[in-house]
């Protein structure tokens, strides 16, 4: 059985390091998963196509950042003697330390969680783009799956990505250490209801198209599920893999609820202010579909102010339990600055 050559998520040095190492790790894990799944053609090709596009990887980044942040908080809380001992091990036996981390079940469960949320998110995009839904022809800067393959193949690709999102948490894949039963059950308990909420939110979003009189409360109810639920899952799953305490899990959920909503407000703003080349998907699609959005409800400037206030609340929740220098805060700052 083989394992990755180096642990990618710890320690955290910078957002750039986290993002780069996650992208490399995720690409390797996607390849390993589809080798394991052995899907028939053209289903295999369609799944690889949508999973290897140049996405932002927001949700896997949130998994990885929560994992790294909780690990760092535990390290910071360790006694001076324990820190000195760890430092000595790193200096004297770096190969032994690398081997320990490489075979660490918690780290590999984090890899599984990061892959799971990206699989589920990508399935939702493939289905969103279908002619029966948003009928889009561009996603992540490339033609959508039903354009490249067929509508039936795209539909089935979304279906199998959804099932693989759950299977990967406990599958016997050659490049992963054996799964941890207890962690896997905790991950499923967090992941499954939020996957269901995401789909329910998509239905509510469709119901709201061309509707009049949609209030901010109505919009938030839609997007806390459609967008926010999977962001909640990502932060919580990363924290669970690192052994987050109950107060830390509460902080992660509080943060996720704020930044999940902020992320959707940003998307509404970028749909109006961005362009297709930068976004990697058609700009102005919300208006085309007559969707209810925060920009439509409150205007661009007020929507920007609202997004900023939500990000501020999300930061405060994390600082309260994990300090003011951690990977989650770096990801939140990147999200606030994003242009696509």
């Amino acid at each position: 059985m083989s394992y990755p050559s180096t642990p990618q998520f710890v320690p955290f040095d910078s957002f750039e390091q986290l993002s780069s190492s996650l992208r490399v790790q995720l690409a390797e894990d996607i390849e390993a998963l589809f080798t394991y799944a052995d899907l028939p053609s053209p289903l295999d090709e369609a799944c690889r196509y949508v999973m290897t596009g140049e996405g932002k990887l927001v949700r896997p980044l949130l998994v990885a950042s929560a994992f790294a942040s909780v690990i760092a908080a535990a390290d910071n809380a360790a006694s001076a003697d324990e820190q000195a001992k760890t430092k000595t091990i790193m200096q004297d036996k770096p190969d032994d330390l690398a081997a320990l981390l490489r075979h660490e079940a918690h780290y590999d469960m984090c890899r599984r969680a990061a892959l799971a949320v990206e699989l589920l998110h990508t399935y939702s995009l493939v289905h969103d783009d279908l002619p029966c839904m948003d009928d889009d022809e561009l996603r992540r800067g490339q033609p959508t799956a039903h354009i490249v393959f067929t509508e039936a193949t795209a539909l089935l690709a979304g279906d199998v990505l959804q099932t693989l999102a759950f299977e990967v948490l406990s599958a016997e894949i050659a490049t992963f250490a054996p799964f941890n039963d207890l962690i896997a059950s905790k991950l499923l308990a967090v992941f499954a209801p939020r996957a269901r909420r995401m789909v329910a939110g998509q239905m509510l979003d469709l119901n709201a198209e061309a509707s009049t009189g949609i209030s901010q409360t109505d919009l938030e109810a839609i997007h806390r599920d459609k967008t926010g639920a999977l962001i909640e899952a990502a932060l919580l799953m990363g924290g669970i893999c690192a052994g987050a305490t109950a107060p830390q899990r509460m902080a992660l959920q509080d943060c996720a609820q704020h930044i999940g909503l902020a992320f959707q407000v940003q998307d509404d703003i970028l749909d109006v202010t961005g362009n297709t080349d930068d976004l990697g998907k058609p700009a102005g699609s919300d208006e085309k579909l007559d969707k209810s959005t925060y920009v439509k409800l409150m205007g661009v400037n007020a929507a920007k102010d609202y997004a900023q206030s939500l990000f501020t609340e999300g930061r405060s929740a994390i600082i309260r339990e994990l300090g003011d220098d951690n990977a989650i805060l770096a990801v939140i700052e990147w999200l606030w600055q994003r242009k696509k």
Side-chain angles (χ1 to χ4, degrees), residues 123-150:
Y123 122 73
S124 74
L125 300 182
V126 172
H127 280 192
D128 274 354
D129 292 335
L130 290 171
C132 63
M133 295 278 281
D134 289 351
D135 194 16
D136 278 328
E137 298 183 355
L138 191 68
R139 173 70 69 175
R140 292 175 170 173
Q142 61 186 17
T144 47
H146 69 275
I147 297 295
V148 176
F149 299 93
T150 64

Side-chain angles (χ1 to χ4, degrees), residues 25-39 44 47-48 51 111-112 114-120 160-176:
Q25 182 71 76
L26 197 61
E28 293 176 358
D29 292 344
I30 288 168
E31 175 61 32
L33 175 65
F34 288 129
T35 299
Y36 154 85
D38 193 23
L39 300 171
D44 179 70
C47 288
R48 290 173 184 271
M51 284 296 295
R111 289 170 56 203
R112 292 176 187 269
L115 183 51
V117 295
E118 184 62 10
L119 286 161
L120 195 80
V160 80
L161 292 177
Q162 183 187 37
T163 61
L164 284 170
F166 293 90
E167 185 176 357
V168 75
L169 295 177
S170 59
E172 297 293 348
I173 303 174
T175 54
F176 288 83

Side-chain angles (χ1 to χ4, degrees), residues 25 55 57 78 86 93 97 111 116 138 147 159 166 172 181 187 192 222 269 273 284 319 330-331 335:
Q25 182 71 76
L57 305 183
T86 299
K93 298 183 178 180
L97 179 65
R111 289 170 56 203
L138 191 68
I147 297 295
D159 289 344
F166 293 90
E172 297 293 348
D181 289 0
L187 293 178
I222 293 168
I269 295 167
T273 62
I319 291 170
V331 174
L335 287 174

Side-chain angles (χ1 to χ4, degrees), residues 199-209 218 221-223 225-226:
V199 178
Q202 289 173 317
M203 186 75 258
L204 291 174
D205 190 43
L206 286 174
N207 290 345
E209 286 182 10
D218 295 330
I222 293 168
H223 294 133
D225 284 350
K226 179 176 184 266

Side-chain angles (χ1 to χ4, degrees), residues 102-119:
R102 190 159 59 246
H103 294 272
E104 173 57 62
H106 288 234
Y107 167 67
D108 272 18
M109 291 306 297
C110 184
R111 289 170 56 203
R112 292 176 187 269
L115 183 51
V117 295
E118 184 62 10
L119 286 161

